[in-house]
Amino acid sequence: MSTLNIFVILYLMVTIGIGLYAARRVRSSRDYVVAGRSLPLYITTATVFATWFGSETVLGTSSTFLEEGLLGIAADPFGASLCLILVGLFYARKLYRMNLLTIADFFRNKYGRTVEVLTSIAIMISYLGWVSAQMVALGLVFNTLSHGAIPESSGIVLGAAIVIIYTTYGGMWSVALTDFMQMIVIVVGMLFIGYYVTGEVGGVSVVVDHAVESGKFNILPDATLAAWLAVLGPFITMALGSIPQQDVFQRVMSAKDEKTAMLGGVLGGSMYLLFAFVPIGLAYTAFLIDPQMVEGLLADDSQKVLPTLITTHTPLIAQILFFGALLSAILSTASGTLLAPSTIFTENMLKPMLGNISDEKFLWVIRSVVIVFGFLVMAFALNSTSSIFEMVENAYKVTLVAAFIPLTMGLYWSRATTQGAMFSIALGVTTWVLLEIGNPDGVWPPQIVGLIMAFIGMLVGSLAPQVLHHDKDVIDEPSV
Protein backbone atom coordinates (compact mmCIF):
# COMPACT_ATOMS: atom_id res chain seq x y z
CA MET A 1 0.00 0.00 0.00
CA SER A 2 1.37 3.40 -0.98
CA THR A 3 2.06 6.19 1.49
CA LEU A 4 -0.64 8.30 -0.19
CA ASN A 5 -3.26 5.62 0.35
CA ILE A 6 -2.24 5.23 3.99
CA PHE A 7 -2.78 8.96 4.58
CA VAL A 8 -6.12 8.85 2.77
CA ILE A 9 -7.29 5.93 4.92
CA LEU A 10 -6.20 7.75 8.07
CA TYR A 11 -8.03 10.87 6.93
CA LEU A 12 -11.22 8.92 6.30
CA MET A 13 -10.95 7.32 9.75
CA VAL A 14 -10.55 10.74 11.37
CA THR A 15 -13.58 12.04 9.47
CA ILE A 16 -15.73 9.12 10.58
CA GLY A 17 -14.43 9.54 14.13
CA ILE A 18 -15.40 13.23 14.23
CA GLY A 19 -18.80 12.41 12.81
CA LEU A 20 -19.43 9.73 15.43
CA TYR A 21 -18.11 11.99 18.21
CA ALA A 22 -20.59 14.66 17.12
CA ALA A 23 -23.41 12.16 17.60
CA ARG A 24 -22.91 12.55 21.36
CA ARG A 25 -24.52 15.98 21.07
CA VAL A 26 -27.70 14.59 19.51
CA ARG A 27 -30.43 14.24 22.12
CA SER A 28 -33.49 15.24 20.10
CA SER A 29 -34.74 15.54 16.53
CA ARG A 30 -34.01 19.27 16.74
CA ASP A 31 -30.36 18.51 17.56
CA TYR A 32 -30.22 16.01 14.72
CA VAL A 33 -31.77 18.23 12.02
CA VAL A 34 -30.58 21.77 12.88
CA ALA A 35 -27.84 21.16 15.49
CA GLY A 36 -30.01 22.66 18.19
CA ARG A 37 -29.88 26.04 16.38
CA SER A 38 -26.65 26.76 18.26
CA LEU A 39 -23.78 27.06 15.74
CA PRO A 40 -21.46 30.10 16.01
CA LEU A 41 -20.58 32.23 12.98
CA TYR A 42 -17.32 30.49 12.09
CA ILE A 43 -18.96 27.04 11.94
CA THR A 44 -22.06 28.40 10.19
CA THR A 45 -19.84 30.01 7.54
CA ALA A 46 -17.86 26.80 7.14
CA THR A 47 -20.92 24.64 6.71
CA VAL A 48 -22.55 27.07 4.24
CA PHE A 49 -19.30 27.21 2.26
CA ALA A 50 -19.23 23.41 2.23
CA THR A 51 -22.78 23.30 0.85
CA TRP A 52 -21.46 23.76 -2.69
CA PHE A 53 -17.75 23.02 -2.47
CA GLY A 54 -18.04 19.41 -3.56
CA SER A 55 -17.20 17.15 -6.45
CA GLU A 56 -18.78 19.44 -9.04
CA THR A 57 -16.50 22.31 -7.96
CA VAL A 58 -13.22 20.40 -7.94
CA LEU A 59 -13.87 17.95 -10.77
CA GLY A 60 -16.99 19.03 -12.68
CA THR A 61 -16.65 22.81 -12.91
CA SER A 62 -12.90 22.72 -13.54
CA SER A 63 -13.24 20.22 -16.40
CA THR A 64 -16.17 22.16 -17.89
CA PHE A 65 -14.04 25.33 -17.86
CA LEU A 66 -11.36 23.54 -19.87
CA GLU A 67 -13.89 22.80 -22.58
CA GLU A 68 -16.19 25.83 -22.53
CA GLY A 69 -14.52 28.65 -20.58
CA LEU A 70 -16.34 31.02 -18.22
CA LEU A 71 -19.57 30.92 -20.21
CA GLY A 72 -19.80 27.20 -19.58
CA ILE A 73 -19.67 27.58 -15.79
CA ALA A 74 -22.32 30.27 -15.35
CA ALA A 75 -24.30 27.92 -13.10
CA ASP A 76 -21.39 27.00 -10.87
CA PRO A 77 -19.63 28.83 -9.29
CA PHE A 78 -21.44 32.07 -10.25
CA GLY A 79 -25.05 30.94 -9.81
CA ALA A 80 -24.20 28.76 -6.81
CA SER A 81 -22.43 31.51 -4.90
CA LEU A 82 -25.18 34.02 -5.71
CA CYS A 83 -27.72 31.57 -4.29
CA LEU A 84 -25.99 31.46 -0.90
CA ILE A 85 -25.60 35.24 -0.79
CA LEU A 86 -29.28 35.77 -1.69
CA VAL A 87 -30.32 33.30 1.01
CA GLY A 88 -28.28 35.24 3.55
CA LEU A 89 -29.56 38.64 2.48
CA PHE A 90 -33.25 37.99 1.79
CA TYR A 91 -34.36 34.66 3.27
CA ALA A 92 -32.33 33.80 6.38
CA ARG A 93 -33.80 36.32 8.83
CA LYS A 94 -37.44 35.76 7.84
CA LEU A 95 -37.18 31.97 7.90
CA TYR A 96 -35.10 31.87 11.09
CA ARG A 97 -37.82 33.75 13.00
CA MET A 98 -40.36 31.08 12.06
CA ASN A 99 -38.46 28.40 14.02
CA LEU A 100 -39.03 25.71 11.40
CA LEU A 101 -37.50 22.26 11.19
CA THR A 102 -37.59 21.96 7.38
CA ILE A 103 -38.12 24.29 4.44
CA ALA A 104 -41.29 22.33 3.63
CA ASP A 105 -42.71 23.41 7.02
CA PHE A 106 -42.93 26.91 5.55
CA PHE A 107 -45.13 25.68 2.71
CA ARG A 108 -47.36 23.85 5.19
CA ASN A 109 -47.79 26.87 7.47
CA LYS A 110 -48.34 29.30 4.59
CA TYR A 111 -50.35 27.25 2.13
CA GLY A 112 -51.48 24.00 3.76
CA ARG A 113 -50.86 20.30 3.58
CA THR A 114 -51.31 19.77 -0.18
CA VAL A 115 -48.71 22.36 -1.13
CA GLU A 116 -46.39 20.99 1.54
CA VAL A 117 -46.57 17.51 -0.02
CA LEU A 118 -46.10 18.75 -3.60
CA THR A 119 -43.07 20.89 -2.78
CA SER A 120 -41.60 18.14 -0.58
CA ILE A 121 -41.77 15.71 -3.50
CA ALA A 122 -40.11 18.25 -5.82
CA ILE A 123 -37.31 18.90 -3.33
CA MET A 124 -36.66 15.21 -2.71
CA ILE A 125 -36.53 14.43 -6.45
CA SER A 126 -33.93 17.16 -6.96
CA TYR A 127 -31.56 15.47 -4.50
CA LEU A 128 -31.26 12.22 -6.44
CA GLY A 129 -28.87 13.73 -8.97
CA TRP A 130 -27.17 16.02 -6.48
CA VAL A 131 -26.21 13.38 -3.92
CA SER A 132 -25.48 10.81 -6.62
CA ALA A 133 -22.94 13.19 -8.15
CA GLN A 134 -20.98 13.09 -4.90
CA MET A 135 -21.07 9.29 -4.85
CA VAL A 136 -19.84 9.16 -8.47
CA ALA A 137 -16.98 11.48 -7.51
CA LEU A 138 -15.99 9.26 -4.59
CA GLY A 139 -15.89 6.31 -6.96
CA LEU A 140 -13.63 8.25 -9.32
CA VAL A 141 -11.29 9.27 -6.47
CA PHE A 142 -10.91 5.74 -5.10
CA ASN A 143 -10.35 4.44 -8.63
CA THR A 144 -7.62 7.03 -9.20
CA LEU A 145 -5.93 6.45 -5.86
CA SER A 146 -5.82 2.70 -6.40
CA HIS A 147 -4.53 3.11 -9.97
CA GLY A 148 -7.56 1.21 -11.22
CA ALA A 149 -7.45 -1.61 -8.68
CA ILE A 150 -10.73 -0.39 -7.19
CA PRO A 151 -13.36 -0.11 -9.95
CA GLU A 152 -15.40 3.11 -9.92
CA SER A 153 -18.53 1.12 -9.05
CA SER A 154 -16.84 -0.37 -5.98
CA GLY A 155 -15.56 3.09 -5.05
CA ILE A 156 -19.12 4.41 -5.17
CA VAL A 157 -20.27 1.69 -2.77
CA LEU A 158 -17.33 2.33 -0.41
CA GLY A 159 -17.86 6.10 -0.45
CA ALA A 160 -21.59 5.76 0.12
CA ALA A 161 -20.97 3.50 3.12
CA ILE A 162 -18.65 6.07 4.75
CA VAL A 163 -21.10 8.95 4.27
CA ILE A 164 -24.09 6.92 5.45
CA ILE A 165 -22.33 5.80 8.65
CA TYR A 166 -21.44 9.18 10.14
CA THR A 167 -24.47 11.05 8.78
CA THR A 168 -26.86 8.46 10.21
CA TYR A 169 -25.49 8.76 13.72
CA GLY A 170 -24.71 12.44 14.06
CA GLY A 171 -27.08 14.25 11.71
CA MET A 172 -26.47 17.98 11.40
CA TRP A 173 -23.98 17.96 14.28
CA SER A 174 -21.80 15.52 12.32
CA VAL A 175 -22.26 17.60 9.18
CA ALA A 176 -21.31 20.82 10.98
CA LEU A 177 -18.21 19.58 12.82
CA THR A 178 -16.85 17.63 9.85
CA ASP A 179 -17.59 20.60 7.58
CA PHE A 180 -15.49 22.86 9.79
CA MET A 181 -12.56 20.45 9.76
CA GLN A 182 -12.97 19.84 6.04
CA MET A 183 -13.10 23.56 5.21
CA ILE A 184 -9.68 24.00 6.83
CA VAL A 185 -8.28 21.11 4.79
CA ILE A 186 -9.83 22.49 1.59
CA VAL A 187 -8.49 26.02 2.06
CA VAL A 188 -4.98 24.99 3.13
CA GLY A 189 -4.70 22.17 0.63
CA MET A 190 -6.00 24.09 -2.39
CA LEU A 191 -3.88 27.17 -1.71
CA PHE A 192 -0.69 25.13 -1.30
CA ILE A 193 -1.33 23.09 -4.43
CA GLY A 194 -2.27 26.18 -6.39
CA TYR A 195 0.97 27.85 -5.36
CA TYR A 196 3.05 24.77 -6.21
CA VAL A 197 1.44 23.84 -9.54
CA THR A 198 1.24 27.36 -10.98
CA GLY A 199 4.84 27.88 -9.88
CA GLU A 200 5.84 25.09 -12.26
CA VAL A 201 4.76 27.21 -15.25
CA GLY A 202 5.84 30.65 -14.03
CA GLY A 203 3.08 31.74 -11.67
CA VAL A 204 -0.61 32.61 -11.64
CA SER A 205 -0.21 35.50 -14.08
CA VAL A 206 1.17 33.16 -16.76
CA VAL A 207 -1.81 30.81 -16.37
CA VAL A 208 -4.33 33.67 -16.49
CA ASP A 209 -2.67 35.31 -19.52
CA HIS A 210 -2.70 32.01 -21.41
CA ALA A 211 -6.38 31.41 -20.57
CA VAL A 212 -7.30 34.95 -21.68
CA GLU A 213 -5.45 34.51 -24.98
CA SER A 214 -7.30 31.21 -25.52
CA GLY A 215 -10.67 32.92 -25.07
CA LYS A 216 -11.52 31.08 -21.84
CA PHE A 217 -12.34 34.33 -20.02
CA ASN A 218 -14.89 35.64 -22.51
CA ILE A 219 -17.82 36.73 -20.37
CA LEU A 220 -20.31 37.82 -23.02
CA PRO A 221 -22.09 35.33 -25.29
CA ASP A 222 -22.83 36.04 -28.94
CA ALA A 223 -25.26 38.89 -29.55
CA THR A 224 -28.27 36.62 -30.10
CA LEU A 225 -31.21 35.77 -27.87
CA ALA A 226 -30.44 32.05 -28.11
CA ALA A 227 -26.84 32.54 -26.97
CA TRP A 228 -27.84 34.69 -24.00
CA LEU A 229 -30.61 32.32 -22.91
CA ALA A 230 -28.23 29.36 -23.18
CA VAL A 231 -26.09 31.00 -20.48
CA LEU A 232 -28.97 32.49 -18.48
CA GLY A 233 -30.83 29.19 -18.17
CA PRO A 234 -28.21 27.27 -16.16
CA PHE A 235 -27.30 30.42 -14.17
CA ILE A 236 -30.88 31.06 -13.02
CA THR A 237 -31.44 27.36 -12.36
CA MET A 238 -28.61 27.28 -9.83
CA ALA A 239 -28.99 30.81 -8.44
CA LEU A 240 -32.74 30.61 -7.81
CA GLY A 241 -33.69 26.95 -8.06
CA SER A 242 -31.37 25.97 -5.23
CA ILE A 243 -32.79 28.56 -2.80
CA PRO A 244 -35.80 26.42 -1.73
CA GLN A 245 -33.53 23.52 -0.77
CA GLN A 246 -33.35 21.74 2.55
CA ASP A 247 -29.54 21.51 2.72
CA VAL A 248 -29.13 25.28 2.30
CA PHE A 249 -31.99 25.93 4.73
CA GLN A 250 -30.66 23.41 7.26
CA ARG A 251 -27.19 24.89 7.35
CA VAL A 252 -28.39 28.47 7.73
CA MET A 253 -31.09 27.59 10.28
CA SER A 254 -28.53 25.81 12.46
CA ALA A 255 -26.99 29.18 13.38
CA LYS A 256 -27.30 30.41 16.95
CA ASP A 257 -29.32 33.52 15.97
CA GLU A 258 -30.77 35.26 12.91
CA LYS A 259 -27.82 37.64 12.50
CA THR A 260 -25.43 34.69 12.41
CA ALA A 261 -27.70 32.97 9.90
CA MET A 262 -27.63 36.01 7.62
CA LEU A 263 -23.88 36.60 7.88
CA GLY A 264 -23.11 32.90 7.50
CA GLY A 265 -24.96 32.82 4.17
CA VAL A 266 -23.23 35.90 2.80
CA LEU A 267 -19.73 34.96 4.00
CA GLY A 268 -20.07 31.32 2.98
CA GLY A 269 -21.26 32.27 -0.51
CA SER A 270 -18.49 34.83 -0.95
CA MET A 271 -15.82 32.35 0.16
CA TYR A 272 -17.18 29.77 -2.23
CA LEU A 273 -16.91 32.09 -5.25
CA LEU A 274 -13.33 32.93 -4.30
CA PHE A 275 -12.05 29.39 -3.70
CA ALA A 276 -13.93 27.80 -6.61
CA PHE A 277 -11.41 29.39 -8.94
CA VAL A 278 -8.51 27.49 -7.37
CA PRO A 279 -9.38 24.08 -8.90
CA ILE A 280 -10.37 25.87 -12.13
CA GLY A 281 -6.91 27.42 -12.28
CA LEU A 282 -5.27 24.10 -11.42
CA ALA A 283 -7.08 22.29 -14.22
CA TYR A 284 -6.08 24.92 -16.75
CA THR A 285 -2.48 24.77 -15.58
CA ALA A 286 -2.52 21.14 -16.70
CA PHE A 287 -2.75 22.46 -20.26
CA LEU A 288 0.60 24.15 -19.83
CA ILE A 289 2.30 21.32 -17.96
CA ASP A 290 1.14 18.31 -20.01
CA PRO A 291 -1.03 19.23 -23.03
CA GLN A 292 -0.96 15.68 -24.44
CA MET A 293 -2.33 14.23 -21.22
CA VAL A 294 -5.10 16.85 -21.13
CA GLU A 295 -6.11 16.30 -24.75
CA GLY A 296 -6.32 12.56 -24.19
CA LEU A 297 -8.47 12.91 -21.07
CA LEU A 298 -10.75 15.50 -22.66
CA ALA A 299 -11.57 12.90 -25.28
CA ASP A 300 -12.06 10.19 -22.63
CA ASP A 301 -13.20 11.71 -19.32
CA SER A 302 -12.36 15.35 -18.64
CA GLN A 303 -13.22 14.91 -14.94
CA LYS A 304 -9.96 12.98 -14.52
CA VAL A 305 -7.72 15.85 -15.69
CA LEU A 306 -7.08 17.32 -12.26
CA PRO A 307 -6.59 14.03 -10.32
CA THR A 308 -4.25 12.76 -13.04
CA LEU A 309 -2.23 15.98 -13.03
CA ILE A 310 -1.76 15.76 -9.27
CA THR A 311 -0.79 12.08 -9.20
CA THR A 312 1.70 12.34 -12.08
CA HIS A 313 3.26 15.81 -11.74
CA THR A 314 3.38 16.71 -8.04
CA PRO A 315 5.30 15.48 -4.96
CA LEU A 316 3.73 13.30 -2.28
CA ILE A 317 2.85 16.17 0.07
CA ALA A 318 0.88 17.90 -2.70
CA GLN A 319 -0.93 14.65 -3.49
CA ILE A 320 -1.85 14.14 0.17
CA LEU A 321 -3.17 17.69 0.45
CA PHE A 322 -5.06 17.51 -2.83
CA PHE A 323 -6.84 14.25 -2.17
CA GLY A 324 -7.48 15.31 1.41
CA ALA A 325 -9.06 18.51 0.15
CA LEU A 326 -10.98 16.67 -2.56
CA LEU A 327 -12.34 14.07 -0.17
CA SER A 328 -13.20 16.87 2.27
CA ALA A 329 -15.15 18.69 -0.41
CA ILE A 330 -17.06 15.60 -1.49
CA LEU A 331 -17.80 14.23 1.97
CA SER A 332 -18.98 17.58 3.36
CA THR A 333 -21.40 18.06 0.47
CA ALA A 334 -22.53 14.43 0.40
CA SER A 335 -23.36 14.27 4.10
CA GLY A 336 -25.45 17.45 4.06
CA THR A 337 -27.27 16.56 0.88
CA LEU A 338 -28.01 13.05 2.15
CA LEU A 339 -29.46 14.38 5.39
CA ALA A 340 -31.63 17.01 3.69
CA PRO A 341 -34.09 14.88 1.67
CA SER A 342 -34.22 12.29 4.43
CA THR A 343 -35.36 15.00 6.83
CA ILE A 344 -37.96 16.33 4.38
CA PHE A 345 -39.40 12.86 3.80
CA THR A 346 -39.56 12.00 7.50
CA GLU A 347 -40.92 15.31 8.80
CA ASN A 348 -43.24 16.33 5.98
CA MET A 349 -44.30 13.07 4.33
CA LEU A 350 -44.00 10.29 6.89
CA LYS A 351 -44.66 11.90 10.26
CA PRO A 352 -48.33 12.77 9.62
CA MET A 353 -48.92 9.05 8.99
CA LEU A 354 -47.20 7.93 12.19
CA GLY A 355 -49.52 9.66 14.63
CA ASN A 356 -48.25 10.85 18.00
CA ILE A 357 -44.85 9.22 18.48
CA SER A 358 -42.18 10.26 20.96
CA ASP A 359 -39.30 12.42 19.83
CA GLU A 360 -36.90 9.57 20.59
CA LYS A 361 -38.74 7.24 18.22
CA PHE A 362 -39.03 9.99 15.61
CA LEU A 363 -35.26 10.47 15.76
CA TRP A 364 -34.70 6.79 14.99
CA VAL A 365 -37.17 7.03 12.11
CA ILE A 366 -35.11 9.85 10.58
CA ARG A 367 -31.93 7.80 10.94
CA SER A 368 -33.58 4.84 9.25
CA VAL A 369 -34.69 7.02 6.35
CA VAL A 370 -31.14 8.35 5.97
CA ILE A 371 -29.93 4.79 5.46
CA VAL A 372 -32.67 3.97 2.94
CA PHE A 373 -32.11 7.15 0.96
CA GLY A 374 -28.36 6.54 1.05
CA PHE A 375 -28.79 3.18 -0.65
CA LEU A 376 -31.23 4.70 -3.14
CA VAL A 377 -28.80 7.40 -4.32
CA MET A 378 -25.99 4.86 -4.39
CA ALA A 379 -28.05 2.77 -6.82
CA PHE A 380 -28.82 5.89 -8.89
CA ALA A 381 -25.11 6.75 -9.02
CA LEU A 382 -24.17 3.25 -10.12
CA ASN A 383 -26.55 3.48 -13.08
CA SER A 384 -26.01 7.12 -14.11
CA THR A 385 -24.28 8.05 -17.37
CA SER A 386 -24.29 11.82 -16.83
CA SER A 387 -21.22 13.82 -15.88
CA ILE A 388 -20.90 15.21 -12.36
CA PHE A 389 -21.47 18.76 -13.63
CA GLU A 390 -24.60 17.75 -15.55
CA MET A 391 -26.07 15.85 -12.61
CA VAL A 392 -25.69 18.88 -10.34
CA GLU A 393 -26.81 21.43 -12.93
CA ASN A 394 -29.99 19.46 -13.72
CA ALA A 395 -30.87 18.81 -10.07
CA TYR A 396 -32.46 22.20 -9.42
CA LYS A 397 -34.74 22.57 -12.43
CA VAL A 398 -37.63 20.92 -10.61
CA THR A 399 -37.36 23.16 -7.53
CA LEU A 400 -36.96 26.25 -9.73
CA VAL A 401 -40.33 25.66 -11.41
CA ALA A 402 -42.14 24.14 -8.41
CA ALA A 403 -40.93 25.80 -5.21
CA PHE A 404 -39.04 29.07 -5.80
CA ILE A 405 -42.05 31.25 -6.63
CA PRO A 406 -44.29 29.94 -3.79
CA LEU A 407 -41.44 30.45 -1.31
CA THR A 408 -40.39 33.92 -2.42
CA MET A 409 -43.84 35.37 -2.96
CA GLY A 410 -45.07 33.69 0.19
CA LEU A 411 -42.42 35.60 2.13
CA TYR A 412 -42.69 38.94 0.34
CA TRP A 413 -46.22 39.22 -1.13
CA SER A 414 -49.00 39.41 1.42
CA ARG A 415 -51.66 38.44 -1.13
CA ALA A 416 -50.08 35.07 -1.99
CA THR A 417 -52.68 32.35 -1.37
CA THR A 418 -52.96 28.58 -1.33
CA GLN A 419 -54.78 28.72 -4.67
CA GLY A 420 -51.98 30.88 -6.08
CA ALA A 421 -49.36 28.36 -4.92
CA MET A 422 -51.29 25.47 -6.46
CA PHE A 423 -51.64 27.32 -9.77
CA SER A 424 -47.94 28.22 -9.65
CA ILE A 425 -46.83 24.62 -9.11
CA ALA A 426 -49.23 23.22 -11.71
CA LEU A 427 -48.35 25.71 -14.47
CA GLY A 428 -44.63 25.74 -13.71
CA VAL A 429 -44.12 21.98 -13.60
CA THR A 430 -46.48 21.16 -16.48
CA THR A 431 -44.89 23.72 -18.81
CA TRP A 432 -41.38 22.59 -17.93
CA VAL A 433 -42.12 18.88 -18.38
CA LEU A 434 -43.90 19.37 -21.72
CA LEU A 435 -41.03 21.45 -23.09
CA GLU A 436 -38.41 19.01 -21.81
CA ILE A 437 -40.24 16.25 -23.69
CA GLY A 438 -41.26 18.13 -26.82
CA ASN A 439 -38.64 20.82 -27.35
CA PRO A 440 -35.71 20.50 -24.91
CA ASP A 441 -33.24 22.28 -27.21
CA GLY A 442 -35.43 25.24 -28.13
CA VAL A 443 -34.30 28.85 -27.92
CA TRP A 444 -36.00 29.26 -24.55
CA PRO A 445 -34.73 26.79 -21.91
CA PRO A 446 -37.70 24.78 -20.58
CA GLN A 447 -36.96 25.67 -16.95
CA ILE A 448 -37.00 29.41 -17.70
CA VAL A 449 -40.40 29.15 -19.39
CA GLY A 450 -41.57 27.04 -16.45
CA LEU A 451 -40.38 29.73 -14.01
CA ILE A 452 -42.26 32.44 -15.92
CA MET A 453 -45.43 30.35 -15.95
CA ALA A 454 -45.04 29.63 -12.23
CA PHE A 455 -44.97 33.38 -11.58
CA ILE A 456 -48.04 33.94 -13.75
CA GLY A 457 -49.80 31.07 -11.97
CA MET A 458 -49.14 32.64 -8.57
CA LEU A 459 -50.51 36.02 -9.70
CA VAL A 460 -53.61 34.64 -11.40
CA GLY A 461 -54.36 32.09 -8.71
CA SER A 462 -53.97 34.57 -5.86
CA LEU A 463 -55.92 37.43 -7.45
CA ALA A 464 -58.78 35.33 -8.88
CA PRO A 465 -61.82 34.36 -6.78
CA GLN A 466 -60.66 31.80 -4.24
CA VAL A 467 -61.91 28.24 -4.74
CA LEU A 468 -58.96 26.43 -3.17
CA HIS A 469 -58.23 27.33 0.44
CA HIS A 470 -55.62 26.68 3.14
CA ASP A 471 -56.35 23.13 4.37
CA LYS A 472 -55.75 23.89 8.04
CA ASP A 473 -57.54 20.83 9.32
CA VAL A 474 -54.76 18.47 8.19
CA ILE A 475 -51.78 20.51 9.35
CA ASP A 476 -49.67 19.18 12.18
CA GLU A 477 -47.72 21.33 14.53
CA PRO A 478 -44.02 21.83 13.66
CA SER A 479 -41.59 19.53 15.43
CA VAL A 480 -39.70 22.39 17.05
Side-chain angles (χ1 to χ4, degrees):
M1 182 179 296
S2 70
T3 303
L4 174 60
N5 288 338
I6 292 173
F7 273 99
V8 168
I9 291 172
L10 288 174
Y11 174 78
L12 291 174
M13 291 176 63
V14 169
T15 299
I16 294 173
I18 292 174
L20 296 179
Y21 170 78
R24 299 172 59 187
R25 296 173 177 263
V26 177
R27 297 179 177 85
S28 66
S29 58
R30 179 184 173 117
D31 290 334
Y32 189 81
V33 177
V34 289
R37 285 164 61 100
S38 60
L39 300 182
L41 179 59
Y42 66 95
I43 295 184
T44 301
T45 300
T47 195
V48 169
F49 165 79
T51 305
W52 295 145
F53 208 102
S55 62
E56 73 292 342
T57 310
V58 181
L59 303 177
T61 301
S62 60
S63 61
T64 302
F65 176 80
L66 291 178
E67 299 177 294
E68 304 177 33
L70 282 183
L71 292 177
I73 59 172
D76 190 7
F78 297 105
S81 58
L82 179 61
C83 161
L84 298 176
I85 293 171
L86 290 175
V87 167
L89 291 176
F90 300 108
Y91 296 84
R93 286 183 181 274
K94 284 179 173 288
L95 290 172
Y96 194 92
R97 292 168 190 166
M98 296 178 187
N99 200 27
L100 307 172
L101 191 66
T102 72
I103 187 68
D105 286 347
F106 168 82
F107 296 107
R108 177 182 61 200
N109 294 347
K110 177 66 179 179
Y111 302 115
R113 174 65 175 162
T114 302
V115 175
E116 174 196 11
V117 171
L118 292 174
T119 52
S120 295
I121 292 172
I123 292 169
M124 288 189 295
I125 289 173
S126 73
Y127 278 104
L128 275 177
W130 181 226
V131 189
S132 296
Q134 312 311 313
M135 303 305 180
V136 169
L138 287 171
L140 189 151
V141 171
F142 290 132
N143 176 261
T144 302
L145 286 171
S146 66
H147 301 287
I150 299 177
E152 290 191 27
S153 58
S154 299
I156 289 173
V157 174
L158 176 60
I162 293 170
V163 174
I164 290 171
I165 288 171
Y166 77 77
T167 306
T168 298
Y169 280 96
M172 193 59 204
W173 268 115
S174 288
V175 172
L177 294 188
T178 54
D179 277 357
F180 179 66
M181 181 269 289
Q182 288 158 351
M183 187 191 76
I184 295 173
V185 175
I186 290 169
V187 171
V188 173
M190 285 296 171
L191 288 178
F192 175 84
I193 297 162
Y195 174 79
Y196 178 86
V197 172
T198 55
E200 293 291 295
V201 296
V204 175
S205 61
V206 173
V207 178
V208 173
D209 289 343
H210 193 280
V212 171
E213 292 173 4
S214 300
K216 299 298 183 183
F217 276 89
N218 292 342
I219 60 173
L220 296 177
D222 296 336
T224 64
L225 178 62
W228 277 90
L229 289 174
V231 175
L232 191 62
F235 174 78
I236 288 180
T237 300
M238 198 74 173
L240 304 184
S242 49
I243 287 176
Q245 285 289 357
Q246 177 64 15
D247 61 319
V248 177
F249 170 87
Q250 216 158 328
R251 283 170 151 99
V252 173
M253 292 304 111
S254 297
K256 65 179 182 179
D257 53 49
E258 64 181 65
K259 182 180 179 181
T260 301
M262 183 271 291
L263 289 174
V266 174
L267 292 174
S270 301
M271 279 187 62
Y272 175 74
L273 181 61
L274 176 65
F275 279 95
F277 278 94
V278 178
I280 289 173
L282 288 173
Y284 193 81
T285 305
F287 257 132
L288 306 181
I289 292 177
D290 194 343
Q292 289 185 336
M293 177 270 289
V294 173
E295 289 174 5
L297 289 175
L298 287 178
D300 176 33
D301 186 353
S302 60
Q303 296 170 146
K304 294 182 179 180
V305 169
L306 198 47
T308 303
L309 170 73
I310 299 300
T311 54
T312 57
H313 290 85
T314 63
L316 178 61
I317 182 62
Q319 294 178 35
I320 292 172
L321 288 173
F322 172 78
F323 284 102
L326 177 56
L327 286 170
S328 293
I330 298 171
L331 292 173
S332 61
T333 300
S335 58
T337 50
L338 176 61
L339 180 64
S342 305
T343 305
I344 288 275
F345 178 78
T346 310
E347 166 69 10
N348 301 102
M349 302 290 289
L350 193 58
K351 186 181 180 183
M353 306 176 193
L354 298 177
N356 294 321
I357 64 172
S358 66
D359 188 71
E360 182 180 359
K361 290 182 179 179
F362 181 65
L363 179 57
W364 281 108
V365 172
I366 298 179
R367 285 174 164 151
S368 301
V369 171
V370 169
I371 295 172
V372 172
F373 195 82
F375 280 103
L376 181 63
V377 296
M378 181 184 69
F380 189 86
L382 288 169
N383 292 280
S384 176
T385 58
S386 300
S387 72
I388 294 170
F389 191 81
E390 289 171 338
M391 292 171 74
V392 172
E393 186 178 308
N394 292 329
Y396 298 109
K397 291 180 180 179
V398 61
T399 45
L400 177 70
V401 301
F404 173 72
I405 293 297
L407 172 64
T408 304
M409 297 190 75
L411 286 173
Y412 284 97
W413 190 41
S414 61
R415 300 184 68 178
T417 65
T418 298
Q419 180 171 284
M422 292 289 289
F423 277 36
S424 176
I425 296 169
L427 282 177
V429 173
T430 301
T431 303
W432 169 60
V433 170
L434 290 176
L435 286 176
E436 286 284 3
I437 295 173
N439 191 25
D441 300 318
V443 173
W444 283 85
Q447 71 270 29
I448 297 299
V449 182
L451 176 64
I452 295 171
M453 294 305 295
F455 178 70
I456 293 173
M458 176 60 81
L459 291 179
V460 172
S462 295
L463 297 177
Q466 299 297 294
V467 179
L468 303 175
H469 299 284
H470 193 302
D471 41 353
K472 295 181 180 179
D473 55 324
V474 293
I475 300 176
D476 298 324
E477 289 298 317
S479 295
V480 293

